[in-house]
Amino acid sequence: MIAIIDSGGANIASVQFALERLDVTSILTTDADVIRGAERVILPGVGAAPVAMDILRKAGLVDVIRGLTQPVLGVCLGMQLLFDQSSERADSADPDTSMLGITPGNCAAFIPAGDRSVPHMGWNSLDFTSTHPLLKGIVQGAYVYFVHTYFAPVTTATIASCSYGDVFTAMVADRNFMGCQFHPERSGPVGARILQNFLEMPA
C-alpha cells in the first residue's frame, strides 16, 4: 500500500493519477498509523514551506516522517521539506522556516535575472552526480518538468542536479529518503519511469 501524506499540496491529485497509470492504488492520509504501516510513502507539495510544515506539525506528523524506515519520496516542495531550513518565511518577522531536517542543507530562493524569470517553470535537464536505483533506465540529460521558486543546494546526498542560474539539487537520496524537485507526474515517460523505479525498490 502506498500512503500519500496530505500536506495540502495542489499536486496531490496528479500524483495519485500518475500512480493509477502505473496500476498502483494509493491512500491520501494524515493518519500516523497508516503512514507507518505503508509499504512506501510519498510526500507531495506545492506552495509555501511554512504552510506545509504547519500542516504537518498540526497533524503530529513531523516526528512520524522522520522515523520512517520504508522508501519515502518527496515531490517538489515535498523534497525541499526533507532539508533543514528554508529562507521562505511565513511573514517578514519570522525567522527562516525549520523543516524536517532529514538531510543536511538549507533552501534558498532563485534571484531573477535578465535571462531568466522566477519561478523556474518548464522543462530542464538532469545532470547525474551519482548512481542510484531511482535513475535506472534514465539517460543523462533527460528533461523533466519544474515549477519552483526555492531550491535545495547540491550536497553529498544529491544524485542529480540541474542549473537555472544556480546549480541545485534536482534529485536527492539519503538512506530511505528520496526526493524529486521536479514533478515526475508531469514529466512524461521519464517521470513515469522514476516513479516505477521508486515502486520497484525493496521495501
Side-chain angles (χ1 to χ4, degrees), residues 3-151:
I4 299 178
I5 297 175
D6 189 356
S7 59
N11 62 331
I12 289 174
S14 59
V15 171
Q16 288 183 298
F17 292 145
L19 293 174
E20 288 176 7
R21 290 194 293 271
L22 297 172
D23 295 321
V24 174
T25 57
S26 60
I27 181 171
L28 179 63
T29 184
T30 56
D31 186 302
D33 290 335
V34 171
I35 294 167
R36 289 192 190 99
E39 183 180 1
R40 302 167 204 283
V41 176
I42 296 178
L43 176 61
V46 169
V51 174
M53 286 304 302
D54 188 54
I55 290 171
L56 295 179
R57 278 191 292 268
K58 287 179 177 176
L61 293 180
V62 172
D63 287 338
V64 171
I65 296 170
R66 288 170 175 161
L68 295 176
T69 57
Q70 65 270 64
V72 179
L73 181 68
V75 175
C76 194
L77 175 62
M79 188 204 82
Q80 293 179 22
L81 296 180
L82 299 177
F83 287 81
D84 290 322
Q85 291 186 323
S86 174
S87 61
E88 188 172 13
R89 303 176 178 187
D91 59 55
S92 59
D94 282 350
D96 291 354
T97 296
S98 294
M99 299 190 292
L100 293 170
I102 289 167
T103 192
N106 297 331
C107 297
F110 288 114
I111 298 174
D115 60 342
R116 61 185 181 275
S117 60
V118 175
H120 172 214
M121 182 181 300
W123 296 86
N124 208 335
S125 59
L126 297 175
D127 181 15
F128 302 165
T129 56
S130 69
T131 58
H132 191 273
L134 271 185
L135 297 172
K136 180 182 177 182
I138 308 299
V139 299
Q140 182 76 262
Y143 277 78
V144 289
Y145 189 81
F146 293 88
V147 181
H148 61 125
T149 298
Y150 289 78
F151 65 91

Side-chain angles (χ1 to χ4, degrees), residues 170-185:
M171 298 178 71
V172 68
D174 190 337
R175 297 159 290 138
N176 58 304
F177 293 93
M178 294 153 278
C180 301
Q181 176 61 74
F182 54 90
H183 289 271
E185 76 279 9

